[in-house]
Amino acid sequence: MSSNTPTKASRRRSNSQEREAELRRSKKPMFSIFQMGADAPTGPADIAWKTHGTSFIVGEAFHPKAGSRVAAFDLDSTLIKVNGKHKWPKNADDWTWWYHGVPSYLKALADEGFTLVVITNQGGLDGKVEKQKEMKLKFEKICGQLNLPMWILISMQKDHNRKPMTGLWHWLEARFLEDDVEINTAESYYVGDAAGREKDWKAGAVKDFNNTDRKFADSLGIAFHTPEHLFLHQACPDHKWSYGAFDPKKWPVNVPLFSPTSTPLLATPGTSELILFCGYPASGKSSFAHKHVLSTGQYEYVNQDTLKTKDKCLKAVEEGLKNKKAVVVDNTNPDVATRAPYIAIAKKYNVPVRCFLFQADKHLATHNNYFRAFHRPLIAASDAVTEKSLKTSTATTTTITTTDTTTTTVTSSTDGDQSSSTTTSTTTDKVVKVSKIRDEPVRERLSEMVFASYANKYQEPSLKEGFDEIKKINFIPDEDIRATWERWYF
């Protein structure tokens, strides 16, 4: 094609400009930029789309540039809302501006030098080509009315790129660094409606459906605003919102590993006993077993994830006790009926049987479930940004905070499940918290049904079942992974 031949996009822009000129010359009333929804006269924008596997979609509207000051937004109930009283949009045209002043506000931000970004969770798009097309068309119509450069990041499934997890932000950081631009988190912010606000945070307001947008900003260390605050200048009192029933930063760590502490954790070496674990999936049972029990070399390990069936577990326990071994059973064992056959075998061979009851509740177990499934890709995404940053600026380093003018510089590399580092000394003002990758096998995220099933079956262990002792085991995250563990994952 000749360089002088107009492209489809340029022809569309030219036609659009001609139509706008005709409107300006016309004596008919002008359409306002505040006109809502798909009724405005502007046509869909040309957006460059790229799908990244099954995880997320990136759109570039009007050739957006990388910028150090980022104004990022959720989409639904933040920039737009459905055009009616129904809850879910019916099609790509079923939307209107959340507030009539949204377009002018975004225009003012762009004029001030902010880079506009939309980061939105859109479940159900993975593998659904038609739904993806509809979502893209909706954005093309939205951006067609705005006529502003904008980055669009759409998460399609529950992985490390879904808010409140921060994978998409790290993708954006890495992309901007390709243009030698580093995002200034102190001057950037995120706006969303999932803010954890309680019912009646203002007169007549309903409770927020979630708090993922607030958590997303918190994990990134950037300012957070609700659309009511940003666009309407409405405040939400501090006591009328929360992070929910579980906050990893507030999980108690100054507690004993187990109780009662008046008796030892493990039996005298060389003696036979049976330890039966009881606790939610992802409550820390396997990590505890390997770190505090199996490391002694005293115990035979029985686990249904490995052996596949309960019958094989019972057989392995009987074989161990028959040979006067100490055995630990690392299963959930939620109810009396599940635990009874193990206790019967211990009684048969006249050995003590103890229960280790893991104190993690459903909220902590769910957090651990997401952590062990997604913290590796999150760290990898963050490390990729750090590596690019180190290449583009000698003043940008990943560091551990120290109390004097000397800062320890850490360069992390990942090989399988292992993490290694090299250390040198330098002086810098930038401090970024570093956290180690968990040194254990990768786990798939368990469905919420697994936790609901455990909760429905659970019966608290009792000495009446035949246990000689019940020890309560507290979950204490390892210090070397604590910074990563404390992030928000769901």
Side-chain angles (χ1 to χ4, degrees), residues 132-164:
Q132 291 178 27
K133 288 181 180 179
E134 185 173 298
M135 179 57 60
K136 291 176 181 178
L137 179 58
K138 177 183 283 190
F139 268 108
E140 287 163 5
K141 294 189 175 190
I142 292 168
C143 291
Q145 290 195 35
L146 290 174
N147 197 29
L148 296 171
M150 178 179 288
W151 296 87
I152 301 163
L153 284 70
I154 306 171
S155 167
M156 294 191 289
Q157 61 168 276
K158 287 187 177 181
D159 62 6
H160 68 288
N161 291 314
R162 181 179 178 85
K163 296 178 301 180

Side-chain angles (χ1 to χ4, degrees), residues 145-388:
Q145 290 195 35
L146 290 174
N147 197 29
L148 296 171
M150 178 179 288
W151 296 87
I152 301 163
L153 284 70
I154 306 171
S155 167
M156 294 191 289
Q157 61 168 276
K158 287 187 177 181
D159 62 6
H160 68 288
N161 291 314
R162 181 179 178 85
K163 296 178 301 180
M165 290 180 278
T166 53
L168 285 183
W169 183 271
H170 299 314
W171 181 91
L172 191 72
E173 288 179 308
R175 172 61 185 83
F176 283 14
L177 283 171
E178 291 178 4
D179 296 335
D180 296 331
V181 175
E182 184 173 358
I183 295 176
N184 184 337
T185 55
E187 295 190 50
S188 300
Y189 58 83
Y190 188 75
V191 185
D193 64 304
R197 290 167 295 184
E198 300 171 0
K199 182 181 179 182
D200 293 325
W201 66 267
K202 69 174 182 177
V206 299
K207 179 182 179 180
D208 284 345
F209 77 101
N210 212 322
N211 49 27
T212 49
D213 290 333
R214 191 185 294 272
K215 288 176 176 178
F216 177 74
D218 182 66
S219 282
L220 292 170
I222 62 176
F224 172 75
H225 304 286
T226 63
E228 288 86 356
H229 177 236
L230 192 75
F231 298 128
L232 305 179
H233 309 294
Q234 295 178 358
C236 175
D238 288 343
H239 66 282
K240 291 192 175 182
W241 69 268
S242 76
Y243 285 124
F246 175 76
D247 185 343
K249 296 179 182 65
K250 295 181 180 179
W251 185 256
V253 294
N254 296 321
V255 293
L257 181 63
F258 61 89
S259 63
T261 57
S262 56
T263 57
L265 178 67
L266 304 178
T268 303
T271 60
S272 178
E273 77 158 342
L274 175 64
I275 296 176
L276 201 63
F277 284 2
C278 175
Y280 269 103
S283 60
K285 299 186 302 299
S286 296
S287 296
F288 181 91
H290 286 85
K291 185 174 182 178
H292 299 287
V293 182
L294 301 181
S295 59
T296 66
Q298 294 177 231
Y299 288 77
E300 300 287 328
Y301 182 62
V302 175
N303 175 256
Q304 192 162 320
D305 289 342
T306 304
L307 297 178
K308 304 304 180 185
T309 68
K310 183 178 178 180
D311 286 342
K312 289 182 178 180
C313 291
L314 291 168
K315 182 178 179 180
V317 168
E318 180 150 19
E319 186 70 20
L321 298 184
K322 181 179 180 181
N323 292 317
K324 304 186 183 304
K325 302 287 187 180
V327 181
V328 59
V329 179
D330 174 16
N331 295 334
T332 59
N333 299 314
D335 54 11
V336 173
T338 304
R339 298 186 290 260
Y342 293 105
I343 297 172
I345 294 173
K347 300 302 181 184
K348 176 180 177 180
Y349 291 98
N350 197 31
V351 300
V353 54
R354 296 189 294 153
C355 175
F356 280 15
L357 178 58
F358 287 76
Q359 296 299 287
D361 61 13
K362 182 179 179 180
H363 302 292
L364 172 63
T366 302
H367 177 83
N368 286 345
N369 178 38
Y370 277 77
F371 167 78
R372 68 189 191 182
F374 300 126
H375 80 282
R376 282 183 179 82
L378 275 177
I379 289 178
S382 181
D383 283 350
V385 173
T386 301
E387 291 173 7
K388 285 180 179 290

Side-chain angles (χ1 to χ4, degrees), residues 33-36 97-104:
I33 191 172
F34 303 129
Q35 185 168 350
M36 294 184 179
W97 295 114
W98 181 84
Y99 164 64
H100 67 78
V102 167
S104 61

